[in-house]
Amino acid sequence: MSLLAQRLGTMRPDTAIILGSSLGPVAAAVSNRLEIPYGELPGFPVPRVSGHAGLLVAGSLGGRDVAVLMGRAHPYETGRADAMEPVIVALKEAGISRLILTNAAGSLTPALRPGAIMLIDDHINLSGLNPLLGRTGDENFVPLTEAYDEKMRRGFIKAAVKAHVDLERGVYVWLSGPSFETPAEIRMLQIIGGTAVGMSTVPETILARRHGLKVAGLSVITNLAAGIEGATPSHEETKREGEKAAHHMRLLLSEFFAGGN
Protein backbone atom coordinates (compact mmCIF):
# COMPACT_ATOMS: atom_id res chain seq x y z
CA MET A 1 0.00 0.00 0.00
CA SER A 2 1.32 3.44 -0.94
CA LEU A 3 2.08 6.07 1.68
CA LEU A 4 -0.74 8.28 0.40
CA ALA A 5 -3.21 5.39 0.63
CA GLN A 6 -2.04 4.78 4.20
CA ARG A 7 -2.50 8.43 5.11
CA LEU A 8 -6.00 8.42 3.62
CA GLY A 9 -6.98 5.63 6.00
CA THR A 10 -10.46 4.30 5.25
CA MET A 11 -11.10 7.04 2.70
CA ARG A 12 -10.90 5.78 -0.88
CA PRO A 13 -11.51 8.62 -3.34
CA ASP A 14 -11.49 7.74 -7.03
CA THR A 15 -11.23 11.36 -8.21
CA ALA A 16 -8.56 13.97 -7.57
CA ILE A 17 -8.80 17.69 -8.32
CA ILE A 18 -5.73 19.88 -8.84
CA LEU A 19 -6.57 23.50 -8.07
CA GLY A 20 -5.10 26.34 -10.09
CA SER A 21 -3.93 29.75 -8.93
CA SER A 22 -6.05 31.24 -6.12
CA LEU A 23 -8.72 28.53 -6.35
CA GLY A 24 -7.87 27.31 -2.85
CA PRO A 25 -11.28 28.42 -1.49
CA VAL A 26 -12.79 25.49 -3.41
CA ALA A 27 -11.24 23.18 -0.84
CA ALA A 28 -13.25 24.91 1.89
CA ALA A 29 -16.35 23.10 0.57
CA VAL A 30 -14.83 19.69 1.41
CA SER A 31 -16.42 18.16 4.52
CA ASN A 32 -15.10 15.43 6.86
CA ARG A 33 -11.72 16.65 5.77
CA LEU A 34 -8.27 15.23 6.23
CA GLU A 35 -5.37 17.59 5.51
CA ILE A 36 -1.92 16.36 4.46
CA PRO A 37 0.85 18.89 3.73
CA TYR A 38 2.73 18.18 0.52
CA GLY A 39 5.95 18.14 2.51
CA GLU A 40 4.81 14.90 4.17
CA LEU A 41 4.28 13.11 0.85
CA PRO A 42 7.41 12.04 -1.09
CA GLY A 43 7.60 13.55 -4.56
CA PHE A 44 4.92 16.18 -3.93
CA PRO A 45 6.16 19.68 -4.74
CA VAL A 46 6.46 22.51 -2.27
CA PRO A 47 4.88 25.34 -4.33
CA ARG A 48 7.01 28.43 -4.78
CA VAL A 49 4.30 30.52 -6.46
CA SER A 50 1.82 32.59 -4.45
CA GLY A 51 -1.74 31.32 -4.71
CA HIS A 52 -0.71 27.66 -4.27
CA ALA A 53 -0.94 26.34 -0.69
CA GLY A 54 0.85 22.99 -1.02
CA LEU A 55 -1.81 20.96 0.79
CA LEU A 56 -3.81 17.83 -0.03
CA VAL A 57 -7.35 17.90 1.35
CA ALA A 58 -9.34 14.66 1.27
CA GLY A 59 -13.00 14.39 2.19
CA SER A 60 -16.49 14.67 0.79
CA LEU A 61 -17.57 17.07 -1.96
CA GLY A 62 -21.09 16.83 -3.35
CA GLY A 63 -21.50 13.58 -1.45
CA ARG A 64 -18.46 11.92 -3.02
CA ASP A 65 -15.02 11.23 -1.57
CA VAL A 66 -12.38 13.29 -3.39
CA ALA A 67 -8.76 14.34 -3.01
CA VAL A 68 -8.21 18.06 -3.59
CA LEU A 69 -4.66 19.19 -4.30
CA MET A 70 -4.03 22.83 -3.48
CA GLY A 71 -1.14 23.68 -5.77
CA ARG A 72 1.08 22.23 -8.47
CA ALA A 73 4.64 22.40 -9.73
CA HIS A 74 4.85 24.34 -12.98
CA PRO A 75 7.45 23.48 -15.60
CA TYR A 76 8.60 27.11 -15.49
CA GLU A 77 9.60 26.61 -11.84
CA THR A 78 11.59 23.42 -12.36
CA GLY A 79 12.54 23.38 -16.04
CA ARG A 80 10.94 19.92 -16.17
CA ALA A 81 7.65 19.11 -17.91
CA ASP A 82 7.37 15.91 -15.85
CA ALA A 83 7.57 17.67 -12.47
CA MET A 84 4.08 16.45 -11.47
CA GLU A 85 4.63 12.80 -12.40
CA PRO A 86 5.43 11.63 -8.83
CA VAL A 87 2.12 13.17 -7.73
CA ILE A 88 0.12 11.49 -10.49
CA VAL A 89 1.76 8.12 -9.80
CA ALA A 90 1.02 8.48 -6.08
CA LEU A 91 -2.62 9.31 -6.85
CA LYS A 92 -2.94 6.26 -9.09
CA GLU A 93 -1.38 4.01 -6.46
CA ALA A 94 -3.91 5.35 -3.95
CA GLY A 95 -6.80 4.28 -6.19
CA ILE A 96 -7.43 7.50 -8.12
CA SER A 97 -8.76 6.81 -11.63
CA ARG A 98 -9.95 10.31 -12.63
CA LEU A 99 -8.17 13.66 -12.55
CA ILE A 100 -9.86 17.07 -12.79
CA LEU A 101 -7.36 19.78 -13.68
CA THR A 102 -8.17 23.42 -13.05
CA ASN A 103 -6.12 26.46 -13.97
CA ALA A 104 -6.09 30.22 -14.40
CA ALA A 105 -5.95 31.26 -18.04
CA GLY A 106 -5.99 34.30 -20.28
CA SER A 107 -8.81 34.77 -22.79
CA LEU A 108 -7.94 34.87 -26.48
CA THR A 109 -11.26 36.46 -27.42
CA PRO A 110 -13.07 39.55 -26.08
CA ALA A 111 -16.27 37.48 -25.83
CA LEU A 112 -14.72 35.34 -23.08
CA ARG A 113 -14.46 37.72 -20.15
CA PRO A 114 -12.57 37.49 -16.83
CA GLY A 115 -14.54 35.47 -14.30
CA ALA A 116 -15.80 32.95 -16.87
CA ILE A 117 -15.19 29.21 -16.53
CA MET A 118 -14.19 27.28 -19.65
CA LEU A 119 -14.47 23.53 -20.08
CA ILE A 120 -11.42 22.32 -21.98
CA ASP A 121 -12.44 20.35 -25.07
CA ASP A 122 -8.90 20.00 -26.41
CA HIS A 123 -5.45 21.54 -26.13
CA ILE A 124 -2.56 22.82 -28.22
CA ASN A 125 0.98 22.36 -26.92
CA LEU A 126 3.24 25.20 -28.08
CA SER A 127 5.67 25.02 -25.17
CA GLY A 128 8.31 22.99 -26.99
CA LEU A 129 8.16 20.59 -24.02
CA ASN A 130 6.65 17.18 -23.39
CA PRO A 131 6.81 15.26 -20.08
CA LEU A 132 7.59 12.03 -21.93
CA LEU A 133 10.66 13.28 -23.79
CA GLY A 134 13.76 11.14 -23.40
CA ARG A 135 11.91 7.92 -22.60
CA THR A 136 11.81 4.63 -24.44
CA GLY A 137 9.03 2.08 -24.66
CA ASP A 138 5.85 1.83 -26.71
CA GLU A 139 3.73 2.91 -23.73
CA ASN A 140 5.01 6.46 -24.20
CA PHE A 141 3.27 6.85 -27.56
CA VAL A 142 0.20 8.11 -25.75
CA PRO A 143 -2.87 8.74 -27.93
CA LEU A 144 -4.48 12.11 -27.21
CA THR A 145 -7.44 11.95 -29.57
CA GLU A 146 -9.65 12.12 -26.50
CA ALA A 147 -7.28 13.67 -23.99
CA TYR A 148 -10.27 15.13 -22.11
CA ASP A 149 -12.84 12.45 -21.30
CA GLU A 150 -16.14 12.87 -23.15
CA LYS A 151 -18.27 11.37 -20.37
CA MET A 152 -16.80 13.73 -17.78
CA ARG A 153 -17.29 16.69 -20.11
CA ARG A 154 -20.97 15.80 -20.54
CA GLY A 155 -21.24 15.58 -16.76
CA PHE A 156 -19.85 19.10 -16.32
CA ILE A 157 -22.20 20.52 -18.96
CA LYS A 158 -25.21 19.07 -17.11
CA ALA A 159 -23.83 20.18 -13.73
CA ALA A 160 -23.39 23.75 -14.97
CA VAL A 161 -27.06 23.95 -15.94
CA LYS A 162 -28.18 22.65 -12.54
CA ALA A 163 -25.77 24.90 -10.63
CA HIS A 164 -26.72 27.96 -12.74
CA VAL A 165 -23.07 28.47 -13.68
CA ASP A 166 -22.25 29.73 -17.16
CA LEU A 167 -19.83 27.25 -18.69
CA GLU A 168 -17.93 28.09 -21.86
CA ARG A 169 -16.07 25.55 -23.97
CA GLY A 170 -12.85 25.83 -25.91
CA VAL A 171 -9.25 24.94 -26.70
CA TYR A 172 -6.52 25.59 -24.13
CA VAL A 173 -3.07 26.57 -25.41
CA TRP A 174 -0.03 25.78 -23.28
CA LEU A 175 3.03 28.01 -23.39
CA SER A 176 5.83 27.50 -20.90
CA GLY A 177 5.90 30.94 -19.23
CA PRO A 178 6.64 32.39 -16.76
CA SER A 179 6.69 35.57 -18.82
CA PHE A 180 3.34 36.47 -20.32
CA GLU A 181 2.80 36.34 -24.06
CA THR A 182 3.39 39.22 -26.46
CA PRO A 183 0.50 40.73 -28.43
CA ALA A 184 1.97 39.18 -31.58
CA GLU A 185 1.99 35.73 -29.99
CA ILE A 186 -1.62 36.21 -28.91
CA ARG A 187 -2.62 37.06 -32.48
CA MET A 188 -0.94 33.83 -33.61
CA LEU A 189 -2.82 31.78 -30.99
CA GLN A 190 -6.11 33.28 -32.17
CA ILE A 191 -5.33 32.31 -35.77
CA ILE A 192 -4.56 28.66 -34.92
CA GLY A 193 -7.79 28.15 -32.99
CA GLY A 194 -6.97 28.76 -29.34
CA THR A 195 -9.63 29.97 -26.90
CA ALA A 196 -7.54 30.45 -23.76
CA VAL A 197 -3.84 30.39 -22.92
CA GLY A 198 -1.97 29.32 -19.79
CA MET A 199 1.19 27.86 -18.27
CA SER A 200 0.08 24.49 -16.86
CA THR A 201 -2.34 21.56 -17.22
CA VAL A 202 -1.19 20.09 -20.54
CA PRO A 203 1.83 18.21 -19.13
CA GLU A 204 -0.37 16.85 -16.34
CA THR A 205 -2.93 15.72 -18.91
CA ILE A 206 -0.26 13.88 -20.90
CA LEU A 207 1.15 12.23 -17.77
CA ALA A 208 -2.29 11.26 -16.48
CA ARG A 209 -3.21 9.66 -19.80
CA ARG A 210 0.17 7.90 -19.87
CA HIS A 211 -0.67 6.34 -16.48
CA GLY A 212 -4.25 5.45 -17.41
CA LEU A 213 -6.22 8.19 -15.62
CA LYS A 214 -9.21 9.87 -17.23
CA VAL A 215 -8.95 13.65 -17.39
CA ALA A 216 -11.23 16.69 -17.38
CA GLY A 217 -10.02 20.28 -17.51
CA LEU A 218 -11.52 23.58 -16.38
CA SER A 219 -10.01 27.03 -16.94
CA VAL A 220 -10.92 30.10 -14.92
CA ILE A 221 -10.52 33.10 -17.19
CA THR A 222 -8.63 35.67 -15.14
CA ASN A 223 -7.69 38.24 -17.79
CA LEU A 224 -7.83 39.20 -21.42
CA ALA A 225 -4.60 38.17 -23.11
CA ALA A 226 -1.95 40.72 -24.06
CA GLY A 227 -3.09 43.37 -26.52
CA ILE A 228 -6.81 42.51 -26.45
CA GLU A 229 -8.61 45.73 -25.61
CA GLY A 230 -5.23 47.07 -24.48
CA ALA A 231 -4.80 44.35 -21.83
CA THR A 232 -1.49 43.92 -20.01
CA PRO A 233 -1.76 40.73 -17.87
CA SER A 234 -0.20 40.45 -14.41
CA HIS A 235 0.08 37.75 -11.76
CA GLU A 236 -1.76 40.01 -9.32
CA GLU A 237 -4.72 40.15 -11.70
CA THR A 238 -4.62 36.37 -12.08
CA LYS A 239 -4.83 35.87 -8.32
CA ARG A 240 -7.53 38.50 -7.84
CA GLU A 241 -9.85 37.21 -10.55
CA GLY A 242 -9.19 33.59 -9.58
CA GLU A 243 -10.40 34.28 -6.06
CA LYS A 244 -13.56 35.92 -7.43
CA ALA A 245 -14.35 32.87 -9.59
CA ALA A 246 -13.68 30.31 -6.84
CA HIS A 247 -17.32 30.41 -5.69
CA HIS A 248 -18.67 29.39 -9.10
CA MET A 249 -16.00 26.71 -9.45
CA ARG A 250 -17.04 25.30 -6.08
CA LEU A 251 -20.71 25.23 -7.13
CA LEU A 252 -19.85 23.53 -10.41
CA LEU A 253 -17.67 20.83 -8.85
CA SER A 254 -20.15 20.16 -6.04
CA GLU A 255 -23.01 19.71 -8.52
CA PHE A 256 -20.85 17.52 -10.75
CA PHE A 257 -20.34 15.04 -7.93
CA ALA A 258 -23.85 15.40 -6.51
CA GLY A 259 -25.17 14.42 -9.94
CA GLY A 260 -23.51 11.03 -9.69
CA ASN A 261 -20.65 11.78 -12.02
Side-chain angles (χ1 to χ4, degrees), residues 43-45 72-89 125 127 129-135 140 174 201-208 210-211:
F44 277 61
R72 54 164 48 95
H74 300 81
Y76 64 70
E77 297 174 76
T78 62
R80 297 180 58 94
D82 62 353
M84 287 292 285
E85 185 164 30
V87 175
I88 289 170
V89 170
N125 179 2
S127 70
L129 304 172
N130 188 299
L132 304 179
L133 279 174
R135 306 187 186 194
N140 295 300
W174 176 40
T201 301
V202 171
E204 295 156 13
T205 296
I206 295 170
L207 288 166
R210 160 67 177 79
H211 291 286

Side-chain angles (χ1 to χ4, degrees), residues 214-226:
K214 295 179 179 179
V215 178
L218 296 164
S219 292
V220 169
I221 303 303
T222 55
N223 57 274
L224 295 176

Side-chain angles (χ1 to χ4, degrees), residues 19-40:
L19 297 180
S21 296
S22 300
L23 289 176
V26 172
V30 176
S31 60
N32 302 318
R33 53 197 290 133
L34 169 68
E35 298 185 357
I36 309 173
Y38 280 8
E40 298 178 7

Side-chain angles (χ1 to χ4, degrees), residues 186-210:
I186 294 305
R187 291 194 296 272
M188 176 189 69
L189 301 186
Q190 292 171 327
I191 291 169
I192 66 174
T195 313
V197 59
M199 305 175 187
S200 68
T201 301
V202 171
E204 295 156 13
T205 296
I206 295 170
L207 288 166
R209 297 301 299 132
R210 160 67 177 79

Side-chain angles (χ1 to χ4, degrees), residues 158-191:
K158 292 178 181 178
V161 173
K162 291 184 178 179
H164 304 289
V165 172
D166 291 333
L167 185 64
E168 306 293 336
R169 300 175 66 177
V171 175
Y172 178 86
V173 183
W174 176 40
L175 293 176
S176 65
S179 58
F180 286 100
E181 304 76 31
T182 67
E185 288 170 335
I186 294 305
R187 291 194 296 272
M188 176 189 69
L189 301 186
Q190 292 171 327
I191 291 169

